[in-house]
Each structure stands twice: as structure tokens, then as C-alpha cells.
């Protein structure tokens, strides 16, 4: 039960959505785009967020695009995780998001919502980071497209009112060999202790991490260390671990040192790719 | 035609698979007001101020109530708890104010807006801290509290709510006979019941003073008694209705939300109010499982005969005592486990802390002592270089050998059954007299561990039950009992017992599912695994009563002495000539002769039962009889451990238990497996984690982990049947027992697998890694 | 553009029937089904997406109705446990003792029923993946596993009247 009231809008076009956001903001409604709503509803119930209006983006055609277009895979931000998993179009992404929350919730969470949410894990960003995807964003200026690496610095950088419309992935990335491991404290259905997604491209390992720090990330320094030929695996891993870009998480899921131990084990397997 | 021993589906099964079944919160009445709580964000502190003004400003709010509105003290052992905090808060999550409003969201909005200021006091967060000299006092006025029972001994000026002692035999002599002595220290955290249905209640007070309560409870009659006492009402004015319960596990045995809902209804002129816990409140505000710290010292002769046992239990009751003192007492009296030990010395201290308070939890403390004793036995086996299997077999408590319990009760076949038989049997399911640790691959180890279990109830010495049988015109029966259907299938079991006794088909027995205190006979509480035993005896006595009436009337109609009559198939007939009969349908509402004149009236069978021969335990020695027959058994777990990353998988879990008589095999097996699943959950993942402010960090199902589908091992459950003379058909309790030995068996298996002593639960890969490496990378 | 401001009346298709219902825009589907439509089969076990007791089908796919707004369900067909009529999964739960207290049962049956309908040949991993969305505190899950396997084994879901349409999500 959500203890406050808000209005619900389901626009039919991108333009409508953007205008609506602006209008509602001006009315002081503090609007929010609404994808799957899983985070909005749970945080609203807990009184951790407030909004006076939600704008459901599931009726916007551009947000619901899904499939190959030329040499690109296009995934609208309102596409659910289940739909991506079941399609089998991008196995690395499918396997990664097939471990977010649980199967039923995956039918509700949208790709855009997971990327834009506040949960510190946002595991869906990992395959998108290492496959160097492009993000299409809409604002009152129209739309713009940018590589995800430019927009994502632990969070999806957006101006207020900007909407994530879709993700564009170069289809050469969708079939490369990849590695995914999500480790949890003990239960399969849980937030990650450490999730690692890695891919091998042109004999180079690309890797993204979630659960390790307070945000998901891809680190070129860590990748460089992992790829440093001529060193033993142990040394490469040691070097990579010295480049973790932020403090390692300490929380109810595990201590920092334990996360390092787990990461170390996973990286051993990554290097066997 | 006997229905005993048959897999009769639950009487309410169709309702459950169609969603038609109504739990308490499924019944919604127009005009109902909603109650929400503002709870403490301070674990120990003086309430400086409560600003309720903003709450009153929320539209739809009908009342805002704080603890001083109707100050009462509650507690089934020590009256130490105000339902809404007064002056002081003692745990994070304690109710401080309540709001009554037209809708749930308005009530919540208003409750969220209440501002409470505290002056924090130092916290007591563990039993150890509670015992430190000069520790902050959770209850400064402990000495002034009223006691609800005689045999509880709170120590004024301390955090000790109760102290139970066992002094059996001669310790000096015992230790002197030991060749080997081992010691262990154990901890088990507080944790939650996590019944899938959160606690919820509706209350209204009519102008004539009648109080209507509808609750998700294990104890409708207890609600009636308790509300009457606490609020000085006439018991007869309180009517409690209790539909089917969506899981309870002990958590719905105490009166809890009912107090607050009653106060809330009073505050709005008696209008009907509903108070339903959110999951977070159910975990953090309502009572939980006790925590435990313990020290054990155990000695044996060279050939493994146990000679002396010293037990020290420090029970974390939390902020209020509720039934925690009884659980501490239970641990003391059963702490030997099902083994004969001549010399036993035990101190069980039940301690107040600033953690959430506790109440009964499946196993009622018996899981705690089992963990301590069974871990210690495995240590002893290592020290003796003896197989854990043989060590247990050697010391198994058994009749005819002069064995006695820690409370000096003589062991008989009837009161304990056959543990040795269980031990031999489990060995056929999971090999335990063999190598218990096998390296099966480079990083893989298979290991097994075992634990014996025993439990009797710790009921009131005068606990009662009752049953009423009325008949339908078609000759079928309606059975009315005060036992709650909480998922154990008890009411179906009772129907089977009645069907057998009446020699009829079980589908001719209808059981009233909801309990209503106005019309259902009192049943003490649906707890302690005693429902089938107690209510079963009441049902048998009600059946006897009905049969006597049927035969009396039959003897008039058939013109023979009642002793010449038999009943069966819905008829009373002449033993010498079964073709000479009267059908129930023609007599249960009176028999009408051909001319129209009638005799007999309607047949109503009544039966009662009271626990017999129980005594309170001697304060100094613990001598006495706490419960009726024990149920004994043995459990085993097989794990697959990964030596590289320290994760493990549950492979197999087995239980063999002596339940006296199997009433419904599939149901019995299911209930035992459910208990095992919960026990494995406690062993592997469950337990509260606290933040620096004393609040529970894992207070939702996102972070408080319970077993999910796919994590379960292969379950194997077998039963032995050694009748308990005082149980119906010899049946013993079994509802809780599946949980008891699982944490211990798991810890024993993992200790063997990992080579580190795992003396605490939950055990996850990080704990093993820490113990093995010291926590460094 | 569909919009729902404050409190308003919407039309939902539930168990094959069109039902008009007045809701707050902030009302969850779970709340609406239970409190406004009298369909109490879906249960609140956590209202946080964790337990699955509130599971219903949206166009044939399981969703947790506590994490969906009633407004979002407009234009979709909803199936609750009350809409299943003698589905094989109900029978299988009955026959395999797939519950004790029964509180998780509606949600579990909806998840399992959808699985058997959408992936009648589901392997053990898929089954686990789907069923891990629901929590049962009473049983050991073995009974539930037996029930689902009994239906999956048959590989047919004939007699199913519950799922109104099997459109893609
Ligand atoms: C049971 C459960 C378990 C979970 N476990 C995990 C886990 O293991 N790993 C993990 O990563 N996450 C996990 N989550 C969190 C989950 O990731 C979030 O709830 C989810 O990602 C939010 O997605 P949504 O589509 O429902 O977003 P919404 O709730 O709709 O939105 C979330 C936020 O994103 C914004 N937003 C949504 N769409 C867009 C868009 N297109 N453009 C711009 N902003 C947008 C919204 O305004 C809002 O601020 C779990 C959630 C649940 C319920
Ligand atoms: S109530 Fe919806 S998942 Fe628990
Ligand atoms: S049957 Fe009780 S929770 Fe599943």
C-alpha cells in the first residue's frame, strides 16, 4: 500500500511523454518515468520516494522496439527482462538479467528501469558496458544518442526529464564468447555478492562488475591488468584487484575481504576463457 | 473401515487449491477503520516527546493514540510489556503510537508523520552484555512486575527474567568417573517465524459491551482469557473468531496485535478496526525466536558412557519476556537430549536485552539445546576416537535400564518410545556407521552428520481440550473442537480418529474449520505439537459419549440390551444379527415410531481432556514432570562441500522418528519435511543482523532469507510406532520435531567436511572461509 | 493517452469478465483485486515482490500483483486463482499434498500453471527458475515439485480454462 497519492499517465508518443514531464514538473508534481514500476512501487510503499505523478512509458512505440535493425540489435527501454531472456537474441544480456530478482519479477522489470534505478547492483548495465552499446535518450530538445560509457559513471547521467528510449548494440557483440557469474551470500535469489560479466573480443577480455562496489562498473585499468600477457594468472588478478575503482562493499551480504576472495576465485575462471 | 493410517487429503484441501479458503484478512467489512503503528527508531531510550499534531491533520484520521491512553501491562509469564510503549522504548520497532483512519493509506501516512524524540540509553545487545556487572537495565522496575505464573523468578536490579536450574546426581562423582571431557561454546541468533500470512486482527466493541475479535491466531481462547484479564472485561462478553491460519510456527500463540486493536477500537467508540502487520512489522515489531549463547561441558568414560554434563544457557529473550522463560526452562529440563546422563548440572538464564522480544517458536527451545548437545557429542566422539553413530547408540535413553531424564522422570517405553530403533533405521537411509567424510573429486567433499532429537510439551499442568459431536439429519457427523487448523492437518487427523471410532467413512465426518470461542469448546492453545494428542483424546471421549447415547436409544428401538449392540457404517445393529439395525439418520434427531410418537431427542456427544500428572519443576533441582510423552528420533544431513570456494550444497536429509501411531502418513511426512526445511534454513541462512542503532537490517524477505524451491535436498522420512499409552491410538506429538536436529546435523556434517568447528548458525560460505583463513585475502 | 488522476473508475478484464472498479492511481493490482473485487485468492505476503503469494497472470504470464498498479492492468487480461477451473495444476497440488497452511498456494499454483502452459516441456532448471519466485514456509518444496512434475510429465494442459489469452507480454 502506497501511503500517498499520485496521478498515472500513459502517453502514446515520445513527444507526449517529454511534454508531460515538463508540464507536471512545472506544476510541482515531481513526476517520474515509470517502466516496470517495481522500484517505484516498493520504494513508495516504504516511503523512501515521493512523486505526484508517474508517466508510464510502456505505450511509447520507440520504447517498445525490440529486434535487429540492420547490423544493430535495438532494445527499447520498456522491454521486460523476461522478453529479452526468452528471445535469446543477446545471450550474454539474457543470462545476466535472467539472474536479476526472480523469474516472475523479470516479467515486470524493464531494461530502462533497471539501468535508471537506484539499486546499487543494476546488473543489466554490465553486458551493455562491455558491448559498448549506444543509448538513445530523449529530452525537450528531441533525441540524442551516445555511447553508454560516456553516460554511465556508476549511474546513468541524465538531465531531469530525460528519458532513456532504447539501447543499440552492435550485433557483432551479440555472439562473442562470454562469461557470467553471479555469486550470492547463499541463496540463488538474492542481491549479488559479486557479479562478473566478461567477454572475449579480439583476444582481449572485457569485464564488468556489480556488487563489488556501491555501483556497477567496467574498469579499463582492471581489464588491462587481466590482459597483461606474459604474467601468471595470479599476478594478473592481483594487479587487477589493485585497480578496483572504489571501496569494496561491506554489508549484510558479505565483508569486503570476503568479496575480494570471491572475486579472486571468479577472475581465475574468467582468465580460463 | 478404519481411517487411521490412511492418506486422507486435508478436509480443506479443495478450498486451498481453488483460492476459496478464507484467512482472517480475506474477510472485509464495509465501514472498517484501519490502524497503523508508529514504531520506535531507538532500541533503548526515554521517550522525550511524541508530536501527533501532523497525524491529526491527515484527512480521514479518526484517532491518534499513545501508550498513556489505556496503560496496561501484559505478559503470559511476567507482566512486563505495555502493548504501546509508555515512557520508555526497549527495542527498535516497538509500537509507540497508533493511528486509526478511514483507509489504510491515510492511517499509514498519518503514522509516518508522527515525530517522536528519544533520549537514548546505552543498549544491551546480547546475553553476554546483559550479564555484565553494571549493565544498563532493560527493566528498572523488574522487581515490581506482577507474575502471571508462580514458577518464574525474575531478579530485581538485573536483566535476569528467570533462572532455571537442574541439579541431578553428584557432579564431583560424575567428573571423577570421566576419562575424557570436552567443552564447547555455541550461539544461535534470534530469527523470525516468517509465517506467510502476517499477523492481523479485527476488533469491534458493541454498545452492550460485547467485544468481537477476529484474529489470525493459534490461541483464540487465550485471546478471550487474556483480554478479559488485562482490560478487566467479562470473559463472556468477548467473542473471538479465528478462521484458518496461514502459517504460525508459534508466532501466533501469544496475544499480540489484539491488545493494540482493542485499544484502537476503544479510541473510536468501538467501531470495527483492523490492524494487519506489514512483513517488516511482522519481523521487527511482533515477537520473534529467542537467541541463545551456551556453554557445554561433557564427560564420558573411555568406552563412551556419558557420565557428567554441565550446561549453561544464556537465552536472549529480547525486550520483554513473553514465553522466553518457559523456553529456557525447557532447555534446562531437556538439555541432555535423549541420552542417559546420571549427573547433570544446568543453569538456564533468561535475559532481557534491547533486541526484539521473543515468543514461542517451532521446537520451543528444544532446537537450541539439541544444537549444543549434539555438537558437543561430535566433539566427544572425536576425542574418544569413536564413531558418532556408536556414541549415540551407546547412550540412547531407553526404558528398563533405570534411565531418568534431567528432571528425574523415569524413562518408560510409553513415555519415550524406541530411540535405538530409530538410529538403526536411519542408517538404512543415510549411511552413518561408515566413513562420514569422502573426497569425491578434486574440490569436492561429501560429508554426513547426525543429531538425535527429543521433545515433550511444556504445557500448563492443567491444559485442557474438548470436543463436541452433533449429527446431521442424514446421519453424518459434525465435529467441533477448539484446535486451530494452522496447516498441520490436525482437523483432518481428528476426523480420521472419529471416523475410526464411529466405524464410518471419513467423508461422513464434517469438521468445523474456524474456531469461535462462543461455540467451540476450549482448547488450551494450538501449540506444543499436542493438538492431535489432546484434542484426539477429547474426540474419543466425545465419541464414547455419542455411542453410549446411540446404543441406549438403539436398545429401546431394537429391544435388546445396549451391550448387545454395535455401531458401524452409520448404523447401530445387533451383534448377533447385523440385519437388525437402526440407521443414524433415523435416530440422531430422535426416533419416530410408526404412529408418530418419538423418543430420544438429538444426540450430542461431548468429550473433554485434561493433561494429567504434570508438575511444576522444583526451583532448586528442577525435579518434576514438565510434559507427557516425549517423541524421540534421529536426523541426518549429507552435504557436498566445495573446498575451493567453501560453498556447499544440501544433498540429502533424513528423519526417523517414533511417533507412536501414524494417523495420516502423507500429512505426517509433509509436516516433518516442512520442519526439516525450516531447520535447514536456520542452519544455513536465517538470523537477524543488527545495525549500529540496534534495528534489524534484514527485516524484509528481500534480505531475510528463507529456503526457496530448488535449494532443498532429497528428503527421507520414516516412522517407528511405539505407542504412548496416553495418546489416542498411541499417537505422540510430531508437528514441531522435524526442525529440532537439522541445525545440529548440518553443523556436524559441515564441521566434518571443512575441518573447522562450526559452533554457530547460520553457516554460510563466508563463515567457513573466515574460520579457515582468519578472514584475510 | 490514458490517464488516471487521484481516484477514478477503470475497467479491468478479470477472469474473462469486464469489471468496473474505482481505484486510486496509487492502488496496486493486489489491493484492487482483494479489497475492491473480492478476489482474495491472491495474498499479501510481503507487498515487496519477494514472496510470490500475490501472483496472478497477466495475459497468461505470472506477475506479482503487489508490484503492479491497477491502472497498469487496463487493456490486459488478468487471471486469478478464482479463474482457474479444474486446472491440472490444482489437481496435482491436491494429490501431492502441495501445501499445508495454503497461504502460498494460490500464488504457487498460478506460477506453476503458467509454466505448464507456456513451457509444457520445461526441464528441471526452467522449473526451478520459475518456482524460485515463490516462497512456501510450510512445505519442503518436494511436494510442490512432485505436483509440477506430474503435470509437466503429462506435457498437456488440456482442461485449462483459466488462461484467457496467451499473447506475448
Ligand atoms: C524481488 C526483487 C529483487 C531484486 N533483485 C535485484 C538484483 O538482484 N539485481 C538488480 O540489479 N536489481 C534487483 N532488483 C531491483 C530491480 O532492479 C529494480 O526494482 C528494477 O530494476 C527497476 O526496474 P523497473 O522497470 O521496475 O523500474 P521502475 O520502478 O519503473 O523505475 C525505476 C527508476 O528508473 C526510472 N526509469 C524507469 N524507466 C526509465 C526510463 N526509460 N528512462 C529514464 N528513467 C527511467 C524511474 O523513474 C525510477 O526512478 C530487485 C527487485 C525486486 C523487486
Ligand atoms: S505479496 Fe507480492 S510478492 Fe509478496
Ligand atoms: S503452505 Fe503454508 S506457506 Fe506454503
Amino acid at each position: 500500500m502506497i501511503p500517498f497519492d499520485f496521478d498515472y499517465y500513459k502517453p502514446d508518443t515520445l513527444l507526449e511523454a517529454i511534454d508531460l514531464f515538463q508540464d507536471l514538473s512545472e506544476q510541482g508534481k515531481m513526476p517520474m518515468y515509470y517502466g516496470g514500476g517495481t522500484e517505484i512501487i516498493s520504494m513508495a510503499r516504504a516511503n523512501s520516494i515521493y512523486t505526484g505523478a508517474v508517466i508510464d512509458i510502456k505505450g511509447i512505440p520507440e520504447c517498445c522496439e525490440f529486434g535487429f535493425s540492420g547490423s544493430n540489435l535495438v532494445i527499447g527501454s520498456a522491454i521486460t527482462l523476461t522478453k529479452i531472456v526468452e528471445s535469446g537474441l543477446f545471450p550474454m544480456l539474457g543470462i545476466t538479467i535472467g539472474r536479476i530478482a526472480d523469474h516472475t519479477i523479470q516479467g515486470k522489470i524493464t531494461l530502462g528501469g533497471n539501468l535508471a534505478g537506484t539499486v546499487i547492483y543494476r546488473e543489466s548495465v554490465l553486458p551493455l558496458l562491455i558491448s559498448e552499446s549506444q543509448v538513445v535518450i530523449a529530452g525537450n530538445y528531441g533525441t540524442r544518442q551516445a555511447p553508454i560509457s560516456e553516460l554511465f559513471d556508476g549511474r546513468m547521467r541524465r538531465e531531469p526529464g530525460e528519458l532513456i528510449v532504447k539501447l543499440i548494440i552492435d550485433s557483432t557483440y551479440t555472439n562473442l564468447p562470454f562469461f557470467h557469474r553471479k555469486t550470492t551470500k547463499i541463496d540463488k535469489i538474492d542481491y549479488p555478492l559479486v557479479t562478473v560479466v566478461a567477454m572475449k573480443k579480439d583476444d582481449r577480455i572485457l569485464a564488468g562488475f556489480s556488487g563489488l562496489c556501491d555501483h556497477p562498473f567496467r574498469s579499463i585499468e582492471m581489464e588491462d591488468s587481466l590482459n597483461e600477457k606474459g604474467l601468471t594468472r595470479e599476478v594478473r588478478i592481483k594487479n587487477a584487484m589493485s585497480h578496483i575503482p572504489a571501496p569494496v562493499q561491506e554489508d549484510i551480504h558479505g565483508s569486503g575481504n570476503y568479496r575480494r576472495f570471491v572475486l579472486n576465485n571468479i577472475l581465475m575462471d574468467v582468465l580460463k576463457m | 473401515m478404519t481411517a487411521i493410517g490412511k492418506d486422507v487429503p486435508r478436509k480443506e484441501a479443495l478450498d486451498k487449491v481453488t483460492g476459496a479458503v478464507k484467512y482472517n484478512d480475506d474477510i472485509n467489512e464495509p465501514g472498517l477503520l484501519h490502524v497503523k503503528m508508529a514504531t520506535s527508531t531507538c532500541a533503548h531510550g526515554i521517550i522525550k516527546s511524541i508530536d501527533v499534531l501532523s497525524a491529526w491533520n491527515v484527512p480521514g484520521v479518526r484517532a491518534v493514540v499513545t501508550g498513556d491512553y489505556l496503560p496496561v501491562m501484559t505478559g503470559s509469564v511476567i507482566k512486563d510489556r505495555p502493548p504501546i510503549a509508555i515512557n520508555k522504548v526497549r527495542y527498535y520497532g516497538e509500537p509507540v503510537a497508533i493511528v486509526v483512519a478511514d483507509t489504510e493509506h491515510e492511517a499509514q501516512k498519518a503514522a509516518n508523520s508522527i515525530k517522536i524524540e528519544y533520549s537514548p540509553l546505552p543498549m544491551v545487545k546480547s546475553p553476554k552484555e546483559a550479564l555484565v556487572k553494571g549493565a544498563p537495565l532493560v527493566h528498572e522496575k523488574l522487581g515490581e512486575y506482577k507474575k502471571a505464573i508462580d514458577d518464574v523468578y525474575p531478579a530485581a536490579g538485573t536483566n535476569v527474567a528467570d533462572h532455571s536450574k537442574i541439579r541431578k546426581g553428584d557432579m564431583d562423582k560424575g567428573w571423577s568417573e570421566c576419562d575424557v571431557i570436552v567443552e564447547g561454546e555455541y550461539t544461535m541468533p534470534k530469527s523470525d517465524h516468517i509465517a506467510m500470512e502476517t499477523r492481523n486482527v479485527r476488533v469491534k466493541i458493541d454498545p452492550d459491551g460485547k467485544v468481537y475479535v477476529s484474529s489470525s491466531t493459534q490461541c483464540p481462547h487465550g485471546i478471550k482469557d487474556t483480554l478479559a484479564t488485562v482490560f478487566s472485561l467479562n470473559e463472556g462478553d468477548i467473542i473471538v473468531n479465528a478462521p484458518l491460519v496461514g502459517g504460525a510456527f508459534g508466532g501466533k500463540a501469544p496475544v499480540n496485535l489484539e491488545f493494540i486493536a482493542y485499544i484502537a477500537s476503544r479510541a473510536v467508540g468501538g467501531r470495527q478496526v483492523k490492524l494487519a502487520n506489514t512483513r517488516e512489522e511482522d519481523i521487527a515489531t511482533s515477537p520473534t525466536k529467542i537467541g541463545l549463547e551456551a556453554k557445554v561441558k561433557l564427560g564420558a568414560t573411555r568406552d563412551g558412557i556419558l557420565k557428567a554434563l554441565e550446561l549453561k544457557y544464556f537465552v536472549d529473550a529480547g525486550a520483554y519476556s513473553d514465553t522466553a522463560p518457559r523456553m529456557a526452562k525447557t532447555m534446562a529440563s531437556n538439555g541432555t537430549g535423549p541420552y542417559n546422563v546420571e549427573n547433570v548440572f544446568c543453569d538456564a538464564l533468561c535475559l532481557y536485552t534491547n533486541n526484539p522480544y521473543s515468543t514461542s517458536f517451532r521446537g520451543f527451545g528444544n532446537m537450541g539445546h539439541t544444537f549444543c548437545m549434539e555438537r558437543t557429542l561430535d566433539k566427544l566422539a572425536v576425542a574418544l576416537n569413536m564413531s558418532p553413530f556408536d556414541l549415540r547408540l551407546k547412550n540412547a535413553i531407553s526404558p528398563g535400564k533405570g534411565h531418568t531424564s534431567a528432571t528425574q522422570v523415569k524413562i518408560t517405553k510409553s513415555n519415550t518410545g524406541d530411540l535405538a530403533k530409530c538410529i538403526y533405521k536411519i542408517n538404512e537411509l543415510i549411511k552413518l556407521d561408515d566413513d562420514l567424510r569422502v573426497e569425491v573429486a578434486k574440490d569436492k567433499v561429501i560429508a554426513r552428520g547426525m543429531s538425535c532429537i527429543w521433545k515433550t510439551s511444556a504445557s500448563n499442568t492443567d491444559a485442557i481440550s474438548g470436543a463436541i459431536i452433533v449429527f446431521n439429519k442424514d446421519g453424518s457427523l459434525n465435529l467441533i473442537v477448539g484446535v486451530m487448523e494452522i496447516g498441520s492437518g490436525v482437523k483432518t487427523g481428528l476426523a480420521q480418529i472419529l471416523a475410526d471410532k464411529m466405524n464410518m467413512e471419513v467423508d461422513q465426518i464434517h469438521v468445523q474449520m474456524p474456531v469461535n470461542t462462543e461455540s467451540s469448546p476450549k482448547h488450551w492453545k494450538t501449540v506444543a505439537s499436542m493438538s492431535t494428542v489432546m484434542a484426539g483424546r477429547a474426540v474419543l471421549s466425545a465419541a464414547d459419549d455419542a455411542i453410549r447415547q446411540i446404543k441406549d436409544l438403539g436398545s429401546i428401538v431394537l429391544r435388546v440390551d445396549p451391550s448387545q449392540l454395535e455401531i458401524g457404517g452409520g448404523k447401530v445393529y445387533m451383534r448377533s444379527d447385523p440385519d437388525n439395525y437402526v440407521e443414524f439418520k433415523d435416530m440422531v434427531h430422535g426416533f419416530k415410531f410408526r404412529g408418530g410418537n418419538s423418543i430420544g431427542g438429538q444426540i450430542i456427544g461431548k468429550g473433554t481432556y485434561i493433561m494429567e500428572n504434570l508438575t511444576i519443576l522444583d526451583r532448586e533441582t528442577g525435579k518434576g514432570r514438565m510434559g507427557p510423552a516425549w517423541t524421540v528420533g534421529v536426523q541426518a544431513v549429507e552435504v557436498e562441500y566445495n573446498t575451493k570456494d567453501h560453498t556447499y550444497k544440501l544433498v540429502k536429509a533424513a528423519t526417523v522418528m517414533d511417533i507412536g501411531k501414524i494417523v495420516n502418513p502423507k500429512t505426517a511426512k509433509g509436516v516433518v519435511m516442512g520442519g526439516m526445511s525450516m531447520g535447514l534454513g536456520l542452519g544455513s541462512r536465517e538470523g537477524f543482523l543488527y545495525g549500529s542503532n540496534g534495528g534489524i537490517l534484514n527485516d524484509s524477505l528481500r534480505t531475510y532469507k528463507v529456503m526457496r524451491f530448488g535449494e532443498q535436498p532429497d528428503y527421507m522420512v520414516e516412522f517407528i510406532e511405539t505407542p504412548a499409552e496416553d495418546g489416542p491410538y498411541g499417537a505422540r506429538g510430531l508437528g514441531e520435531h522435524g526442525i529440532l536436529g537439522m541445525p545440529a546435523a548440518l553443523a556436524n556434517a559441515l564441521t566434518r567436511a571443512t575441518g573447522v568447528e562450526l559452533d554457530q548458525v547460520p553457516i554460510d560460505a563466508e563463515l567457513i572461509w573466515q574460520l579457515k583463513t582468519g578472514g584475510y585475502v | 493517452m490514458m490517464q488516471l488522476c487521484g481516484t477514478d473508475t477503470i475497467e479491468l478484464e478479470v477472469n474473462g469478465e469486464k469489471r468496473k472498479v474505482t481505484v486510486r492511481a496509487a492502488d496496486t493490482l493486489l489491493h484492487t483485486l482483494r479489497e475492491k473485487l473480492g478476489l482474495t485468492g491472491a495474498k499479501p505476503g510481503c507487498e515487496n515482490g519477494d514472496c510470490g503469494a500475490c501472483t496472478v497472470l497477466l495475459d497468461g504470464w505470472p506477475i506479482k500483483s503487489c508490484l503492479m498498479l491497477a491502472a497498469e492492468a487496463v487493456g490486459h487480461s488478468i487471471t486469478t486463482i478464482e479463474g482457474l477451473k479444474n486446472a491440472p495444476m490444482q489437481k496435482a497440488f491436491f494429490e501431492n499434498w502441495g501445501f499445508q497452511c495454503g497461504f502460498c498456494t494460490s500464488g504457487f499454483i498460478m506460477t506453476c500453471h503458467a509454466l505448464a502452459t507456456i513451457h509444457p516441456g520445461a526441464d528441471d532448471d526452467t522449473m526451478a527458475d520459475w518456482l524460485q519466485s515463490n516462497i512456501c514456509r510450510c512445505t519442503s518444496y518436494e511436494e510442490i515439485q512432485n505436483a509440477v512434475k506430474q503435470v509437466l510429465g503429462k506435457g498437456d494442459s488440456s482442461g485449462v480454462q483459466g488462461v484467457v489469452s496467451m499473447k506475448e507480454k
Side-chain angles (χ1 to χ4, degrees), chain A residues 89-138:
Chain A
L89 294 181
F90 186 5
M92 178 168 65
L93 180 62
I95 298 245
T96 306
I97 62 185
R99 283 295 311 278
I100 290 177
D102 60 50
H103 179 270
T104 301
I105 300 273
Q106 287 159 20
K108 196 76 182 13
I109 293 176
T110 61
L111 183 61
N114 190 251
L115 290 175
T118 58
V119 71
I120 65 169
Y121 308 108
R122 283 164 283 147
E123 291 164 86
S124 61
V125 80
L126 305 179
L128 299 173
L129 280 174
I130 59 178
S131 59
E132 288 161 2
S133 323
Q134 300 275 320
V135 191
V136 175
I137 286 193

Side-chain angles (χ1 to χ4, degrees), chain B residues 637-640 648-652 680-681 684-685 707 711-715 746:
Chain B
V637 173
E638 181 176 304
V639 295
E640 183 190 291
Y648 64 89
K649 274 209 273 285
L650 303 168
V651 184
K652 290 181 195 164
L680 288 171
S684 60
R685 62 203 77 203
M707 296 276 285
E711 287 154 359
Q712 76 273 16
D714 280 339
Y715 287 105
L746 177 66

Side-chain angles (χ1 to χ4, degrees), chain A residues 32-40 57 77 99-102 105 108-110 112-114 116-117 119 121-123 158 162-164 182 190-192, chain B residues 702, chain C residues 48-50 67:
Chain A
M32 290 182 93
Y33 291 120
Y34 185 101
T38 60
E39 182 176 301
I40 294 177
I57 63 162
S77 60
R99 283 295 311 278
I100 290 177
D102 60 50
I105 300 273
K108 196 76 182 13
I109 293 176
T110 61
N114 190 251
V119 71
Y121 308 108
R122 283 164 283 147
E123 291 164 86
R158 286 169 299 132
E162 277 190 330
L163 171 70
I164 303 171
K182 173 167 180 165
D190 200 355
Y191 289 136
Chain B
R702 187 76 49 84
Chain C
N48 196 43
D50 297 310
L67 288 189

